[in-house]
Amino acid sequence: MAKKKVQTKKKVETKKRIQIKKKVPKKKETKKREEVKFIGQVTRIRQTDPATVIEWPRTITHVHTYGMLSPFFEGLKKGELRATLCSNPKCAEKRLWIPPRAHCPDCHTEMVWKTLSNPVIGKIYAFTRVVYAGTGIELSTPYWQVDVEIPDLATIPKSYLLYGEPRIGMKVKAEFRTRKPTNTVLDYYWVPYEQ
Ligand SMILES: [Zn+2]
């Protein structure tokens, strides 16, 4: 009888030990489970009948260099209209170019920069009412697109009238978006100039 009891005791002890071992708390996993997440924009359902149609916005970033014409855009940010001029003394074209050209269209010589003195006053040569702008036009419609004659220029650059009504021959003054510039050609525009 006594022998049996001892055996039982031993068994109990072994069981206890096992239980103790089991009770040792496991190290908590601090690392969070990594899951694949949806980072896009939820589409809008336009219709479901007769088939599901979703609006799925798509955009691209067009990387564009201004290259040798960069000084023109740097000028706009400072409130300056900069033009290019042929540096070849033998070239017949002595007038300025806006939009600027890196090389003379007549003799292909590299051009030099000239800043027009402010205020730049021009005359409206032609105008168009833009009511339905094409994709990518970042001006509110309707607006007046104006072609402006600027003294000493070989070209008649196109821009827009910020406010007012244009007429042929009307004097206008160049102004600049120096605060929050767009870094595009939209950073200069014309306003009516009355003396
Ligand atoms: Zn030239």
Side-chain angles (χ1 to χ4, degrees):
M1 275 295 270
K3 214 181 177 185
K4 229 183 178 179
K5 268 185 184 174
V6 172
Q7 276 178 342
T8 315
K9 215 182 177 184
K10 267 188 182 174
K11 268 187 182 174
V12 171
E13 275 176 4
T14 316
K15 266 191 179 176
K16 270 188 182 173
R17 253 184 241 139
I18 291 164
Q19 277 175 347
I20 288 163
K21 268 188 183 175
K22 275 185 180 172
K23 275 181 185 172
V24 172
K26 281 183 179 175
K27 273 192 177 179
K28 274 189 178 175
E29 282 184 19
T30 48
K31 214 177 178 185
K32 269 193 175 179
R33 189 173 59 189
E34 284 188 8
E35 290 181 0
V36 176
K37 295 176 189 71
F38 173 70
I39 57 162
Q41 193 179 333
V42 175
T43 60
R44 199 180 83 83
I45 294 173
R46 188 177 275 196
Q47 65 181 64
T48 54
D49 186 43
T52 302
V53 178
I54 57 164
E55 285 179 16
W56 200 345
R58 283 282 181 260
T59 56
I60 59 155
T61 299
H62 170 67
V63 179
H64 178 78
T65 175
Y66 287 138
M68 291 171 79
L69 305 181
S70 298
F72 178 77
F73 298 92
E74 289 302 312
L76 295 185
K77 279 195 276 188
K78 292 174 183 169
E80 294 175 355
L81 206 49
R82 295 177 182 171
T84 52
L85 175 69
C86 181
S87 61
N88 176 8
K90 288 177 186 169
C91 182
E93 186 54 77
K94 307 290 181 199
R95 294 175 298 175
L96 302 167
W97 293 81
I98 292 177
R101 314 284 169 108
H103 296 87
C104 175
D106 293 271
C107 72
H108 308 132
T109 303
E110 191 173 322
M111 294 184 115
V112 292
W113 289 93
K114 194 174 185 301
T115 299
L116 275 60
S117 51
N118 276 321
V120 177
I121 309 298
K123 264 196 319 190
I124 291 181
Y125 178 80
F127 57 82
T128 307
R129 182 73 158 166
V130 180
V131 179
Y132 301 102
T135 304
I137 299 293
E138 294 171 312
L139 295 174
S140 59
T141 52
Y143 68 89
W144 291 107
Q145 178 184 282
V146 289
D147 296 13
V148 177
E149 279 183 295
I150 303 171
D152 306 322
L153 249 67
T155 46
I156 302 175
K158 218 176 268 298
S159 184
Y160 61 100
L161 193 68
L162 193 71
Y163 58 85
E165 293 271 322
R167 61 168 206 281
I168 303 297
M170 176 179 159
K171 279 188 175 179
V172 284
K173 184 173 78 122
E175 285 197 351
F176 305 87
R177 196 187 303 275
T178 50
R179 213 167 59 88
K180 291 187 183 173
T182 66
N183 306 307
T184 70
V185 77
L186 297 180
D187 287 344
Y188 94 94
Y189 45 81
W190 299 95
V191 297
Y193 180 72
E194 316 291 356
Q195 273 190 320

